[in-house]
Amino acid sequence: LSLSPGASVRRHTEKEDLNADLPCISCPFLLAYLDGTFVELGQILIDRYNSGRAGTDRKTTRVSVEAGVVRVLLKEREPETSFINVVEVWADGNKLPPMATVPVALIVDDLASHIMKNGDEIELEFAAPIKRGYLNVEIRVSGYYQLDRFASVR
């Protein structure tokens, strides 16, 4: 249903009319390590459902630092493919260096992407300016996703 700006439609829907089971547009999930567990921060890359809508989303949160490391986790839980270009963690205006285990595709802002399918997850570690304690950080994730039924359409 497409409406022009300012237009409206009144429609009565019966329970019997609600018979379709369609996948909703979704996005990958972001989690951050806090007090011994990964805490759900919600979805990231919301509304970035094709390459033309690619961009960067940010989440601000408090994280635990253990052994000088900040940990974040990306999870793809839906029937879609996520194309993650870059993940950065910032604290006090400074970008935290990624640890050696972070894939190069997630460090360099280029056309290469880390591809995630339904059920995939990736844990990323960043060097913190302190050895132990807490930091307020901004996590920046760049990329987009596509529902698997549209994955061949770019």
Side-chain angles (χ1 to χ4, degrees), residues 1-13:
L1 177 63
S2 297
L3 299 174
S4 59
S8 64
V9 171
R10 287 185 65 114
R11 179 177 169 114
H12 179 76
T13 304

Side-chain angles (χ1 to χ4, degrees), residues 1 7 18 39 55 62 80 89 101 110 129 154:
L1 177 63
L18 303 175
V39 175
R62 182 178 176 180
E80 61 196 21
V89 177
T101 56
D110 57 12
R154 293 212 182 189

Side-chain angles (χ1 to χ4, degrees), residues 1-142:
L1 177 63
S2 297
L3 299 174
S4 59
S8 64
V9 171
R10 287 185 65 114
R11 179 177 169 114
H12 179 76
T13 304
E14 297 292 335
K15 183 177 179 181
E16 297 79 35
D17 295 330
L18 303 175
N19 58 11
D21 185 15
L22 301 172
C24 296
I25 291 178
S26 188
C27 20
F29 289 79
L30 179 65
L31 298 90
Y33 193 76
L34 179 65
D35 293 332
T37 190
F38 280 99
V39 175
E40 183 96 22
L41 301 178
Q43 295 168 307
I44 197 84
L45 302 178
I46 296 170
D47 272 345
R48 300 194 184 281
Y49 51 83
N50 64 44
S51 60
R53 297 180 68 90
T56 302
D57 288 355
R58 295 164 170 81
K59 295 267 185 179
T60 302
T61 191
R62 182 178 176 180
V63 296
S64 294
V65 177
E66 293 181 1
V69 176
V70 169
R71 298 164 55 196
V72 299
L73 181 64
L74 283 172
K75 287 188 174 190
E76 184 48 78
R77 297 179 178 157
E78 306 292 341
E80 61 196 21
T81 301
S82 291
F83 301 86
I84 310 299
N85 190 17
V86 175
V87 177
E88 298 175 337
V89 177
W90 290 73
D92 296 323
N94 297 303
K95 184 166 76 167
L96 303 185
M99 304 295 280
T101 56
V102 175
V104 174
L106 293 176
I107 297 171
V108 180
D109 190 6
D110 57 12
L111 297 178
S113 295
H114 179 80
I115 297 173
M116 298 179 68
K117 300 274 191 182
N118 188 8
D120 289 349
E121 63 181 54
I122 185 167
E123 183 177 330
L124 306 169
E125 296 180 336
F126 298 84
I130 59 174
K131 289 293 179 193
R132 181 173 289 308
Y134 296 96
L135 285 176
N136 291 319
V137 299
E138 180 182 76
I139 304 167
R140 300 176 186 178
V141 179
S142 299

